[in-house]
Amino acid sequence: MIEIKAGEMLLILTDGVNLRYFAPGERLPAKHQLLIGFEDESCLVASVRMYGGLWCFPNEGFDAPISAYYEAAKNKPQVMSEEFSKEYFMELINAEDAQKKTAKAFLATEQTIPGLGNGVLQDILYNARIHPKTKINALSTEKRENLYDKVKSTLHEIYEQGGRSTETDIFGKNGGYIPHLSKDTAGTACPRCGETIKKENYLGGSIYYCSGCQVNNIS
Ligand SMILES: [Zn+2]
């Protein structure tokens, strides 16, 4: 989520919004939901995919059904920050209401961890060798700590390589990180164990996992 202050107003671009920069004189796309033109005639163009949102509201006194989502994104620690420590993560994963959730539900739903979505979830769980449907209460302390390490290291690796290869940056350039698990690797052999990588629909999105080395409900 990106927040831009514009005088008395706030402009918010949520995840799911594609933002592109166009230099002066560059040809602009015919379709978009928001176009911001600057004095030098460069432009920022935003288009919305799936659940993304463009919000604009006064700096003070924001109160709307979406405000809980906004507050969570703004106030909870981001994964890449130092505040997202092992102690903080262990508090989240050891909380009583987390125990009956599956790994995907815990990590990537209800804004428990803002910014961690279905797209990066797949490789985090692959690296941690945890099946997306594994219940949190089946994970030992050691596995919970290892999951924290994999959340950090996987997102760091994606960041270092300029994002996933399926996404583009503000200049339209594809990222350099090629995911282990994606629609491109579904049905192929896992490089780690040789079993087939599977795809299923689960909790409002596709999940990918290796049927050999991401074992369900092993503590
Ligand atoms: Zn495998």
Side-chain angles (χ1 to χ4, degrees):
M1 186 177 289
I2 297 171
E3 181 177 82
I4 300 168
K5 256 189 194 159
E8 301 295 303
M9 303 296 282
L10 293 176
L11 175 65
I12 314 287
L13 313 173
T14 74
D15 49 348
V17 173
N18 187 272
L19 192 63
R20 275 290 310 275
Y21 170 81
F22 291 88
E26 253 190 286
R27 195 194 163 115
L28 299 174
K31 288 186 179 173
H32 50 261
Q33 279 83 36
L34 176 72
L35 188 149
I36 303 170
F38 298 99
E39 285 176 352
D40 70 351
E41 296 187 357
S42 63
C43 290
L44 280 175
V45 172
S47 55
V48 177
R49 293 180 296 183
M50 298 190 296
Y51 50 81
L54 298 164
W55 308 339
C56 191
F57 50 84
N59 211 336
E60 300 294 329
F62 174 48
D63 185 25
I66 50 172
S67 59
Y69 190 92
Y70 168 74
E71 293 295 336
K74 191 161 171 154
N75 298 320
K76 287 186 180 180
Q78 305 290 312
V79 174
M80 300 291 290
S81 71
E82 274 181 35
E83 291 75 51
F84 196 89
S85 62
K86 184 171 275 185
E87 290 68 33
Y88 175 74
F89 181 81
M90 293 306 280
E91 251 175 60
L92 290 182
I93 200 169
N94 291 334
E96 204 179 320
D97 65 347
Q99 302 315 305
K100 284 188 178 162
K101 290 181 180 171
T102 60
K104 172 173 174 171
F106 168 68
L107 288 172
T109 67
E110 294 172 21
Q111 290 292 292
T112 308
I113 305 172
L116 199 164
N118 204 43
V120 296
L121 173 78
Q122 317 299 328
D123 275 12
I124 290 170
L125 293 177
Y126 179 76
N127 290 336
R129 299 179 184 243
I130 294 171
H131 189 289
K133 290 183 180 174
T134 300
K135 289 258 171 65
I136 295 300
N137 63 15
L139 298 176
S140 64
T141 300
E142 194 187 342
K143 282 216 160 200
R144 292 175 193 213
E145 288 178 350
N146 182 51
L147 178 57
Y148 168 77
D149 293 337
K150 296 301 185 284
V151 166
K152 279 281 199 185
S153 62
T154 306
L155 280 182
H156 192 75
E157 201 184 334
I158 294 171
Y159 172 76
E160 285 287 304
Q161 296 183 41
R164 284 177 292 146
S165 57
T166 49
E167 304 291 324
T168 53
D169 68 12
I170 198 166
F171 302 108
K173 185 170 166 280
N174 285 84
Y177 179 88
I178 297 165
H180 299 297
L181 302 184
S182 72
K183 62 176 173 31
D184 295 331
T185 60
T188 66
C190 167
R192 204 160 56 190
C193 76
E195 281 293 328
T196 307
I197 290 169
K198 296 200 166 153
K199 178 189 176 185
E200 277 175 39
N201 288 321
Y202 177 56
L203 294 179
S206 300
I207 50 167
Y208 301 89
Y209 60 92
C210 171
S211 51
C213 59
Q214 281 173 269
V215 188
N216 194 0
N217 281 332
I218 298 292
S219 55

